[in-house]
Amino acid sequence: MAYPGPQDQDGQPYPHQPSQPYGQHSHQPPLPAPAMRNWAGVVGLCLGILALLLDVTIGLARVGIWVSYVAIFMSGFGMAKARVGTATNRTLPIVAMLLSATASALAIVVQSIWHSV
């Protein structure tokens, strides 16, 4: 016979005592892990690569600068998510930010060369 645990005067268990004996677990499924939001850094990197490719083609450098602005914004959003802890990839948004800033500077240089010719 198992020890029923501490009881009050009427033989009822105290309300703060667990209803199941020690060592036995309830049959509830575990809570799901919080969803990680790594998409912002990935989107920033993809847009940075696209902006860099658009800047290399001289006729599309005007579009590339706008794509690089969106990539900088998305990379910054990804860095903020990594700083808060809801994203696990900390280096990907940093690389995306550097690539996007490079693409933006390249677009400005290509546009100034294109307009001076």
Side-chain angles (χ1 to χ4, degrees):
M1 183 168 169
Y3 176 69
Q7 298 174 352
D8 64 3
Q9 295 174 354
D10 298 328
Q12 300 295 323
Y14 287 117
H16 65 278
Q17 297 293 323
S19 60
Q20 295 184 356
Y22 180 75
Q24 293 183 1
H25 301 287
S26 64
H27 297 288
Q28 296 176 352
L31 295 174
M36 291 293 154
R37 293 176 175 88
N38 293 332
W39 59 270
V42 174
V43 170
L45 183 67
C46 292
L47 288 176
I49 292 171
L50 179 67
L52 198 60
L53 291 174
L54 288 173
D55 293 342
V56 172
T57 57
I58 295 174
L60 296 176
R62 187 172 289 168
V63 177
I65 196 164
W66 291 106
V67 173
S68 68
Y69 291 157
V70 174
I72 289 171
F73 173 76
M74 294 305 293
S75 301
F77 186 68
M79 288 170 62
K81 288 292 183 185
R83 185 174 40 247
V84 170
T86 56
T88 57
N89 56 353
R90 181 164 280 173
T91 53
L92 188 68
I94 293 171
V95 170
M97 179 71 79
L98 293 173
L99 184 69
S100 303
T102 304
S104 178
L106 182 66
I108 292 170
V109 168
V110 167
Q111 281 294 315
S112 65
I113 291 173
W114 180 259
H115 287 296
S116 66
V117 173

